[in-house]
Amino acid sequence: MTRTRRRPPNIVVVLCDDLGYGDLGVLFQNSARRNGDRSPTLHTPRLDKMAADGVVLTGMYCPAPVCAPSRASLLTGTTQGHCDLRDNAFDRQLQDGPNLASMLKEAGYATAAVGKWGLQGQDPLEQEQTPRAWPGYPTRRGFDEFFGYVRHGDGHEHYPVEGLYRGPKEVWHNDDEVSADLAGCYTTDLFTAFAKQWIGQQVRADAEQPFFLYLAYDTPHAVLELPTGPYPAGSGLAGGLQWTGRPGAMINTAAGLPDSFVHPDYRHATFGDPEAEQQWPDVYKRYATAVRRIDDCVGDLLALLADVGVDEETLVIFTSDNGPSIESYLDEPIRADFFRSFGPFDGIKRDCWEGGVRVGALVRAPGLIPGGRIDAEPAQFHDLLATFADLADIAAPARSDGVSLAPTLLGSGSRSPSTLYVEYAVDGRTPAYAAFAPAHRGRQRGQMQLVRMGDHVGVRYDVAAADDRFEVYDVARDPKQEHDLADTRPDLHDMLAAQASRVRRAHPEFPRPYDGEAMQALPATDAEAAATEKVAVVVTEQLISRDPVLSELPWTPTLAATRSSSLPRRESVNVGEPVTPDVTAQEWTGELVVPAAGLYDFDLVGIHHAVLRVHDAVIVDEGSRGSVRLAAGQHPFRLSFRGAVVPRLMVRHRS
């Protein structure tokens, strides 16, 4: 695609904690009111306006139905089939290597993380709990600046000083613990005020340098505390939330009474039959107020971008880390079906039904993105890294799993289909809500797996063995997943099951019942494979680049994605043709023809850092060796590496 702007766009990712697809007006709540439903409804007017000004991605999925793995996959651009953090590995360090921040920093961006982190890890040689002891601390993972909660559990309390329900918590600003100055600060307000201040500082310091802000709220998750008072008048540079910098009154809402303010739209709200209306229980007034506060904060942030003159060139993405929760941390429990926070789907947080993993996204950039659009094409969080690489004109890491959504966002051209995959394991059951399909109510979770291709989703619960059957749903026509097509469309079942075997690699710390499953071959190739006595490696295309920038990147770049004309030049060369010494990066695609099923070892002789994919699974990850279990038949591969050396790809059948 051709660009005419003078520099890459600023990028702001706003990530909520446990906000359901159905909690947003534009995605669900507004339609419920239009249909005359007298059930309780939420209002998100500023987010609705953001949606109207941009594009609504109704097909956006999170990578996992719980926060830590979802956020790790978002940041690293990998699915849960490749991410080092899976299941409930809270407070594990974000793996070292390219991520959203480090990639964009390499592209010249100023970077900041504000809010909830939970991906810090712990140095086993350090006893203290400080940034020095946390190998995955944000400033060690590509962020120039960090302000927020470090530990996962700290995000369960929204008043760090008062600690009204979960006790006082630490707030870190780079290397300093600063909670002593934050009396009266409600975290949604606090993180927004800091984010506004940081953006203003960046624009004043260097208006030509693009910036990346990762604003990760810890709400509406966990204890449903209320703000101190109404949202401050105005918005943007001179109004709304303001960072004062004064200890004890650090933000302009710190002067109110903690946990006291219910939004007036909900203070006396009722629901049900007009002749027997009931007041909303307190816990739902609290939840609705928390969501509305996020709505106010995002509107305030967008106003600031306009006030400082960068609105047109700033891409803002709003989404949530997983489906809605049923955790209130109060004496009064909360149910996700009061507001139908799961929207038109079944399932909640920790489910692999659509309601647990379909989160949607709003994307706005007035100078780049045509507004007023809805796009239902499936996408997943890991696509954002490839998208940002495309927009920032930098080669994405070959180990990342996403495709660029830029054609969709910019309204020009078509994009490659996303690889949608989820794996997750947890005890417990899907809630037995009346709104859910009978087959989903009280469903045992256990080991779960989801894969989507086109309109069809394959999902399985409580997986005990590799050959357990997938349920198959056309989620475009059947979003509640009530009609299993596995028996009537065995072709769909087999296609989805084969795809699930081709998109992941096993992780020893997160064992799955299907870890020993052989990667399925492409169809109708068994005869060809049987005629082969040993593995045949057929290279069908080579892409090369002579761009010297690629040799300086701290990751192996990918060359195959669609990119702008300003990115590295690629040439198709004949296999075996000598490669000239000025080549900086190469990418080979081809086929492996495997004569027998079994475990195969791969050795790349002549190079030390490469990324090798077989189908969509990464077998060699920034190294030179790897192994995978393959079925007999034909398997496509892609090999990415740097330099002019032509390596030998050695494949050995171990068993």
Side-chain angles (χ1 to χ4, degrees):
M1 65 195 71
T2 302
R3 312 217 215 287
T4 59
R5 62 178 181 272
R6 55 189 172 87
R7 66 169 180 81
N10 307 311
I11 298 171
V12 177
V13 173
V14 182
L15 184 69
C16 294
D17 200 343
D18 292 4
L19 183 76
Y21 181 104
D23 288 329
L24 294 186
V26 66
L27 291 178
F28 182 74
Q29 296 289 318
N30 297 345
S31 62
R33 286 194 294 273
R34 285 196 300 271
N35 292 337
D37 189 341
R38 292 192 58 80
S39 299
T41 54
L42 301 168
H43 302 262
T44 56
R46 289 160 185 80
L47 289 167
D48 292 354
K49 177 63 166 60
M50 176 184 173
D53 292 341
V55 58
V56 182
L57 303 181
T58 59
M60 178 63 77
Y61 286 73
C62 64
V66 75
C67 66
S70 185
R71 292 165 187 248
S73 279
L74 164 65
L75 289 166
T76 59
T78 58
T79 71
Q80 281 291 288
H82 292 135
C83 189
D84 271 0
L85 199 159
R86 309 184 195 185
D87 294 347
N88 295 314
F90 306 120
D91 294 316
R92 181 188 177 101
Q93 68 165 300
L94 185 73
Q95 65 196 80
D96 199 6
N99 62 54
L100 289 181
S102 63
M103 181 189 74
L104 291 173
K105 188 172 181 177
E106 192 74 27
Y109 280 65
T111 59
V114 178
K116 175 180 171 179
W117 186 245
L119 304 171
Q120 75 282 5
Q122 177 66 33
D123 187 332
L125 300 179
E126 295 283 354
Q127 299 300 313
E128 60 186 13
Q129 293 284 313
T130 68
R132 186 178 71 176
W134 294 321
Y137 195 67
T139 55
R140 295 184 177 185
R141 290 295 183 265
F143 288 101
D144 298 320
E145 191 158 2
F146 171 68
F147 179 88
Y149 282 145
V150 177
R151 303 175 190 84
H152 165 78
D154 290 356
H156 296 171
E157 169 60 58
H158 309 312
Y159 281 96
V161 172
E162 291 77 9
L164 301 176
Y165 294 91
R166 308 289 288 181
K169 304 298 180 186
E170 292 180 347
V171 176
W172 288 84
H173 182 200
N174 297 335
D175 293 335
D176 299 318
E177 203 285 304
V178 298
S179 62
D181 296 336
L182 303 179
C185 290
Y186 177 65
T187 52
T188 310
D189 291 1
L190 178 67
F191 298 151
T192 304
F194 188 92
K196 288 179 62 178
Q197 178 211 216
W198 184 82
I199 290 173
Q201 287 177 339
Q202 294 307 310
V203 175
R204 288 192 299 272
D206 186 355
E208 293 302 308
Q209 182 184 25
F211 61 79
F212 168 56
L213 171 65
Y214 171 61
L215 175 55
Y217 289 126
D218 59 333
T219 53
H221 169 238
V223 61
L224 294 172
E225 289 162 304
L226 297 166
T228 58
Y231 206 82
S235 60
L237 194 60
L241 287 167
Q242 295 293 318
W243 182 268
T244 70
R246 297 194 303 272
M250 194 63 69
I251 58 176
N252 60 341
T253 56
L257 179 66
D259 196 32
S260 65
F261 174 75
V262 175
H263 194 283
D265 283 359
Y266 312 125
R267 193 173 297 146
H268 305 294
T270 60
F271 71 102
D273 191 307
E275 297 182 359
E277 287 185 328
Q278 303 175 59
Q279 286 277 337
W280 286 13
D282 179 68
V283 71
Y284 299 108
K285 295 179 183 180
R286 287 173 170 270
Y287 186 83
T289 297
V291 174
R292 189 63 166 268
R293 197 67 164 204
I294 293 170
D295 183 76
D296 283 329
C297 285
V298 174
D300 195 354
L301 192 68
L302 295 179
L304 173 79
L305 296 173
D307 288 349
V308 299
V310 298
D311 185 46
E312 294 280 308
E313 58 200 65
T314 301
L315 181 82
V316 182
I317 296 179
F318 178 91
T319 188
S320 179
D321 60 359
N322 49 250
S325 173
I326 54 173
E327 302 159 0
S328 77
Y329 290 80
L330 304 173
D331 291 338
E332 186 177 8
I334 189 170
R335 292 170 58 103
D337 58 348
F338 188 80
F339 295 117
R340 288 184 66 101
S341 294
F342 38 78
F345 314 119
D346 286 5
I348 65 168
K349 177 181 179 179
R350 299 188 177 89
D351 272 313
C352 284
W353 307 122
E354 293 290 283
V357 290
R358 183 93 77 91
V359 291
L362 314 180
V363 189
R364 176 186 184 273
L368 303 172
I369 295 177
R373 293 180 296 136
I374 297 176
D375 185 88
E377 192 169 356
Q380 203 165 16
F381 279 5
H382 57 271
D383 292 322
L384 296 181
L385 186 143
T387 304
F388 297 166
D390 194 359
L391 296 174
D393 285 350
I394 190 168
R399 71 179 308 275
S400 60
D401 293 320
V403 299
S404 175
L405 306 181
T408 295
L409 300 182
L410 303 182
S412 60
S414 58
R415 68 173 178 88
S416 300
S418 297
T419 299
L420 263 71
Y421 178 75
V422 177
E423 60 179 55
Y424 179 64
V426 70
D427 291 334
R429 296 177 180 271
T430 303
Y433 295 152
F436 289 174
H440 300 161
R441 298 172 195 163
R443 186 74 167 269
Q444 181 68 45
R445 289 168 173 151
Q447 292 276 358
M448 295 175 287
Q449 194 177 24
L450 175 151
V451 62
R452 178 168 176 173
M453 299 180 73
D455 291 340
H456 295 100
V457 164
V459 63
R460 50 185 183 175
Y461 266 49
D462 201 20
V463 184
D467 59 356
D468 280 4
R469 170 185 176 277
F470 280 86
E471 298 169 42
V472 177
Y473 300 99
D474 181 342
V475 293
R477 296 176 175 82
D478 179 24
K480 285 178 62 63
Q481 298 170 281
E482 296 181 283
H483 307 290
D484 182 4
L485 305 175
D487 290 336
T488 58
R489 291 291 307 275
D491 58 319
L492 288 176
H493 176 276
D494 293 347
M495 176 187 71
L496 290 163
Q499 176 70 355
S501 77
R502 298 167 177 161
V503 297
R504 68 178 300 271
R505 67 168 178 264
H507 195 296
E509 296 182 47
F510 308 101
R512 309 293 190 213
Y514 40 86
D515 281 345
E517 178 184 19
M519 191 179 297
Q520 294 192 34
L522 295 179
T525 60
D526 288 348
E528 182 181 1
T532 305
E533 295 182 359
K534 61 181 181 178
V535 177
V537 180
V538 181
V539 179
T540 57
E541 184 181 22
Q542 292 175 311
L543 302 177
I544 67 171
S545 174
R546 294 186 173 90
D547 190 328
V549 172
L550 295 185
S551 64
E552 300 172 2
L553 293 175
W555 60 79
T556 299
T558 183
L559 304 181
T562 301
R563 304 191 185 286
S564 72
S565 59
S566 63
L567 286 172
R569 181 163 54 97
R570 301 178 302 277
E571 303 175 21
S572 179
V573 299
N574 295 326
V575 176
E577 178 182 327
V579 180
T580 56
D582 62 342
V583 167
T584 56
Q586 302 184 50
E587 196 155 84
W588 299 1
T589 55
E591 299 168 355
L592 303 172
V593 183
V594 176
L599 183 63
Y600 287 83
D601 294 326
F602 292 79
D603 283 288
L604 300 169
V605 180
I607 54 177
H608 301 288
H609 295 284
V611 174
L612 172 66
R613 288 180 185 267
V614 177
H615 295 280
D616 287 317
V618 175
I619 308 306
V620 177
D621 188 353
E622 293 291 358
S624 60
R625 293 182 176 182
S627 301
V628 64
R629 193 171 295 277
L630 299 173
Q634 181 179 315
H635 299 270
F637 75 87
R638 185 169 83 240
L639 173 64
S640 305
F641 60 99
R642 281 187 285 192
V645 173
V646 178
R648 286 187 297 155
L649 177 57
M650 309 291 290
V651 186
R652 180 171 58 89
H653 186 192
R654 191 193 307 177
S655 61

